[in-house]
Amino acid sequence: MTSEERRPALAVRGLSKSFGGLHALRDVSFDLMPGQVTALVGDNGAGKSTLVKALSGLQPADEGETLIHGEPVTLKSARAAAAVGIETVHQNLALIEHSNVTQNLFLNREIRTRVPVLRQLGWLDHKKMHGDTRDILSELGINISSVRTKIRDLSGGQRQCVAIGRAVAWSREIVMLDEPTAALGVHQTGLVLELVRRLAGRGVAVLMITHNMEHVLQVCDRVLVLRLGRLVTDRPTSEVDGRSLVEYITGLRSDGPAGNVPLKEADTGA
Ligand SMILES: Nc1ncnc2c1ncn2[C@@H]1O[C@H](COP(=O)(O)OP(=O)(O)OP(=O)(O)O)[C@@H](O)[C@H]1O
């Protein structure tokens, strides 16, 4: 593994966020490594969404620093986050029901035709966009019969896969998933979790919010537990089990006031 691959895709240092007197995030620090799926877990109100909103630029943190491949970045808007390679799949998916898969993948990022006169008139290069969409779906192993299928005709799992595919289309670096299997049945959940692993296989650093401890242990390489806005553990999943995770979540266990365990050499493949 090269030193570039061992460097965190994203590093968070001392992130804090308050709403009035409520400390939703307190001095949170962690790394996301390329090619790893990191679970973000915690009880209701622990600060998971606040953290994801801060990193996706929707609700900037009050304090702290975020570094992408070692460079400090400012995340003051969703556009700023996208510009540095952070894509987020929110629970509502933000897909347009009456538009097709390609239109959703290229939403607000449409490719104009290269024919000069038509380009000036705003004509789009549908052939290229359909082709690129097919390539992405096929690369990620997402099974949808036609890129012209409208979102309203897809299953819940397929919709989630399209939303994830859109994130990957625009960032091969860092993808955050907010409870990607929350509304899905067993089979569809399996498809989405397989896709999450494939993202990591392609070198993406994935952060996944989940309430499902089995999914953490099955799919994730590392787990971050937030409790009352503090990070109470940051460990490889090989070092935890369902019981210890519940203990961290409920406050029976903590790795210290700051809650941070340094990333181990072995865990990064060094
Ligand atoms: N815009 C806001 N204004 C005031 N308080 C907020 C706001 N957003 C979040 N909070 C509070 O911050 C704390 C953390 O909330 P957050 O939504 O991040 O938790 P969570 O871990 O995502 O919970 P859940 O699993 O229920 O979604 C909670 O106490 C919540 O009430």
Side-chain angles (χ1 to χ4, degrees):
M1 199 178 256
T2 66
S3 60
E4 182 61 27
E5 283 167 332
R6 271 202 303 276
R7 205 156 82 167
L10 178 144
V12 167
R13 297 290 175 262
L15 218 66
S16 295
K17 174 84 186 171
S18 296
F19 298 104
L22 188 139
H23 299 289
L25 291 176
R26 305 168 189 234
D27 196 20
V28 171
S29 301
F30 61 90
D31 293 339
L32 294 185
M33 301 303 290
Q36 284 197 348
V37 182
T38 302
L40 176 59
V41 306
D43 215 344
N44 295 118
K48 305 178 295 295
S49 300
T50 305
L51 177 57
V52 166
K53 282 182 193 161
L55 296 178
S56 57
L58 293 182
Q59 201 174 60
D62 301 330
E63 283 176 48
E65 194 178 31
T66 307
L67 302 105
I68 304 282
H69 297 297
E71 294 296 320
V73 293
T74 310
L75 302 171
K76 288 213 167 129
S77 65
R79 191 179 286 250
V84 296
I86 303 176
E87 289 289 329
T88 307
V89 180
H90 296 282
Q91 271 190 59
N92 65 13
L93 301 186
L95 297 172
I96 312 273
E97 291 281 306
H98 58 267
S99 295
N100 66 34
V101 173
T102 299
Q103 287 163 331
N104 272 276
L105 236 78
F106 283 90
L107 194 64
N108 299 325
R109 287 154 160 160
E110 290 82 1
I111 300 177
R112 295 245 188 121
T113 176
R114 276 187 281 183
V115 181
V117 181
L118 299 180
R119 190 180 170 84
Q120 278 175 358
L121 294 172
W123 281 39
L124 302 180
D125 191 341
H126 294 285
K127 196 172 166 195
K128 164 115 182 85
M129 291 192 289
H130 282 315
D132 287 359
T133 303
R134 275 186 213 103
D135 288 348
I136 286 165
L137 297 187
S138 134
E139 185 195 328
L140 294 175
I142 299 172
N143 193 8
I144 290 172
S145 57
S146 165
V147 294
R148 290 185 166 80
T149 310
K150 294 210 175 358
I151 297 300
R152 64 173 177 236
D153 296 326
L154 297 177
S155 70
Q158 286 174 321
R159 286 166 194 229
Q160 186 64 244
C161 288
V162 169
I164 294 174
R166 178 169 65 186
V168 178
W170 301 109
S171 174
R172 306 258 158 175
E173 307 274 337
I174 300 145
V175 172
M176 299 193 291
L177 307 171
D178 190 356
E179 294 201 59
T181 61
L184 304 180
V186 177
H187 177 66
Q188 304 272 320
T189 293
L191 295 179
V192 170
L193 293 180
E194 273 175 34
L195 174 57
V196 170
R197 275 308 329 166
R198 281 198 291 272
L199 300 193
R202 279 166 170 69
V204 178
V206 182
L207 181 69
M208 179 169 87
I209 294 185
T210 179
H211 282 281
N212 188 311
M213 296 309 122
E214 273 178 41
H215 295 172
V216 174
L217 298 173
Q218 261 173 35
V219 177
C220 301
D221 303 290
R222 211 167 171 91
V223 58
L224 308 172
V225 182
L226 278 177
R227 179 168 162 74
L228 303 174
R230 283 193 194 284
L231 196 60
V232 292
T233 197
D234 172 359
R235 287 179 175 274
T237 44
S238 56
E239 292 182 3
V240 292
D241 56 19
R243 185 178 164 159
S244 58
L245 279 178
V246 170
E247 288 175 351
Y248 281 117
I249 291 168
T250 54
L252 289 173
R253 205 188 261 239
S254 170
D255 288 340
N260 289 337
V261 177
L263 205 60
K264 294 196 172 98
E265 290 282 281
D267 186 49
T268 61

